[in-house]
Amino acid sequence: MGSLSGRVVLITGAGRGIGREEALYFAAEGAKVVVNDPGVAPDGSGGDRAVAAAVVKEITARGGAAVANTDSVSDFDGARRVVEAAVDAFGDLHVVINNAAVHRDAPLVGVTEDAFDAVVAVKLKGTFAVSHWAARHWRARWESGDRVDRAIINTSSGSGLLNPLPAHSNYAAANAGVAALTVVNALELGRYGVRVNCLSPSMARTRLTATVPGMGQIPEEGAFDPLHPGVCAPVAAYLAAEDCPMTGQVLSVRGGSVAINQGWSRGAQIAKDDAPWTVAELRTALAELPRDDVFDSLGTALGGALGSGGRDKLQQMINALLDR
Ligand SMILES: NC(=O)c1ccc[n+]([C@@H]2O[C@H](COP(=O)([O-])OP(=O)(O)OC[C@H]3O[C@@H](n4cnc5c(N)ncnc54)[C@H](O)[C@@H]3O)[C@@H](O)[C@H]2O)c1
C-alpha cells in the first residue's frame, strides 16, 4: 500500500513540468489524482486538451487512478469546477496542490496591464480560487462530522521570496502573495482539519527554465539529477500525508536540499515613546541601522554566475536583461 493510498489529490497545472511529476509520483503512491491543465503555452495563450489527457493515460496505464480537467484556475467558476471534478470522480477531496503558472516577463517600464494581470490571475488568483472552493467543501464535510486530515500545498518561487529578479514585477508579486496566502489560510483552515503549506522550487528543468544557463546538463544514467523536475514530488507527498504535522510553512526545494524558510522578519529598530519622530531625527537615526542591500541580495543569489566585477557587473547584467 502506498503512502498516499486512498487520498484524493487535485493538482493544478499537472500536464507538464513539476506538476506532472507530482501527479505521477502521487498516483504511484496510491493517490487518486485530478490532473488539471488547459495545456496552454508558457505565456498562457492557446490550449490543448491532450496535455492533461496524456498524463491521465500514463497514470492509468500503470494501474493508477486519475481523471483530467481542463478548466483554467484563473476563472473563478473554472476553479469551482476543478474541485467538483475531484468530488464527482472520487467522492471527496483531501489534497490540493496549487502549481499552475504562466510567465510574461517584462521590465516595469514596459510591462502591459494585460501581462501583469495574466500572471497574477493564474498564480495568485488561481491559488486563492481553488483554495476557496476546496475550503468550502471541507468546511461542509467538517460540519457534517467528518474528521479527516486535509492539506493545501501552494507553489511559490525564489523570485518573490528570496531573490526577486528584474523583469519579474508580475511573477515576483504573485509568488510573494502566494506565500502570504499560505500563512493566512493556515491560520483560518486549521479549525476544519486543513493544513496549508507551500513549496518554493528552484532550478528544476522545465520549459519555464529552459533558457537558464546550465539547465541542459544531464547527469550520467543512474546518477542523481538535481535539476530533475521530479525533485519536489517527494516533499509534496510528505506535506500531503495524513500524519504530516506541518502547517503554515514555506519550504524551498533545490536539488537535494529542502529548507524551511523564515519570511519577512523584524530587523534593527529605533523607538521612542514620548513624541512622534521628526523627519530630521529619522534621517539621522535610520541611517545608522544595518539593512540589506537589494543589489547585494541578488549578487549573492547569482553567486558564481556573477564572477568578479561587483556592483558594476551586476548593473550591466540587469540592464542587459531589461533591454532584451
Ligand atoms: N521550474 C522551476 O525551476 C521553478 C522555479 C520556481 C518556481 N516554479 C513554480 O513551479 C510551478 C510549476 O512550474 P513548471 O516549471 O513546472 O512550469 P510548466 O510551464 O512546465 O508547467 C506549468 C503548467 O501550468 C499550466 N497552466 C498554465 N495556466 C494555467 C491555468 N490557468 N490553469 C491551470 N493550469 C495552467 C500550464 O499549461 C503548464 O502545463 C509554477 O508555479 C512555477 O512558478 C518553478
Side-chain angles (χ1 to χ4, degrees):
M1 208 167 77
S3 64
L4 297 166
S5 192
R7 299 282 264 175
V8 178
V9 180
L10 151 52
I11 307 175
T12 72
R16 302 189 185 89
I18 292 170
R20 173 179 170 277
E21 295 291 335
E22 289 170 339
L24 297 175
Y25 191 97
F26 274 61
E29 286 295 322
K32 299 167 188 166
V33 182
V34 178
V35 177
N36 159 259
D37 205 307
V40 294
D43 67 357
S45 61
D48 181 357
R49 301 176 74 86
V51 171
V55 178
V56 170
K57 198 170 166 193
E58 236 178 301
I59 290 172
T60 51
R62 297 176 192 179
V67 293
N69 170 281
T70 57
D71 280 297
S72 168
V73 297
S74 61
D75 170 4
F76 198 54
D77 285 333
R80 178 177 47 75
R81 287 193 295 272
V82 185
V83 170
E84 285 171 357
V87 180
D88 289 350
F90 301 120
D92 199 356
L93 173 65
H94 302 103
V95 180
V96 167
I97 302 185
N98 287 305
N99 162 79
V102 297
H103 269 244
R104 304 266 302 265
D105 296 359
L108 181 63
V109 292
V111 68
T112 63
E113 182 183 8
D114 188 46
F116 189 88
D117 287 350
V119 170
V120 172
V122 176
K123 206 5 120 108
L124 182 56
K125 184 185 163 191
T127 297
F128 148 73
V130 176
S131 301
H132 165 81
W133 291 115
R136 287 176 70 93
H137 169 72
W138 290 332
R139 181 184 60 178
R141 295 295 289 240
W142 182 268
E143 287 174 350
S144 69
D146 201 358
R147 296 291 180 268
V148 180
D149 175 86
R150 321 271 186 178
I152 294 174
I153 301 160
N154 294 326
T155 310
S156 185
S157 171
S159 176
L161 298 185
L162 304 170
N163 49 318
L165 296 168
H168 270 200
S169 296
N170 46 12
Y171 187 69
N175 280 307
V178 166
L181 268 184
T182 300
V183 292
V184 171
N185 294 351
L187 287 172
E188 291 186 14
L189 298 182
R191 66 189 192 137
Y192 306 127
V194 182
R195 296 175 295 101
V196 186
N197 293 290
C198 183
L199 289 181
S200 174
S202 180
M203 296 290 280
R205 196 186 299 106
T206 70
R207 64 182 187 163
L208 291 189
T209 55
T211 58
V212 175
M215 291 310 284
Q217 288 170 16
I218 313 275
E220 282 174 24
E221 180 83 27
F224 175 54
D225 178 2
L227 305 181
H228 194 280
V231 294
C232 284
V235 188
Y238 161 76
L239 293 172
E242 267 176 290
D243 59 354
C244 178
M246 268 199 197
T247 194
Q249 305 302 315
V250 180
L251 276 60
S252 282
V253 181
R254 180 172 181 156
S257 85
V258 182
I260 298 179
N261 289 306
Q262 292 171 328
W264 286 101
S265 55
R266 204 175 278 273
Q269 66 170 356
I270 53 173
K272 61 191 278 192
D273 55 14
D274 54 347
W277 288 94
T278 66
V279 172
E281 286 173 332
L282 288 169
R283 195 173 286 134
T284 307
L286 284 178
E288 287 169 3
L289 292 186
R291 58 191 183 275
D292 289 342
D293 180 317
V294 65
F295 286 86
D296 286 347
S297 306
L298 179 58
T300 304
L302 290 172
L306 196 58
S308 59
R311 176 66 68 90
D312 287 347
K313 182 100 175 275
L314 186 60
Q315 188 62 60
Q316 283 166 22
M317 284 181 68
I318 293 171
N319 292 349
L321 193 70
L322 298 180
D323 292 340
R324 250 198 328 225

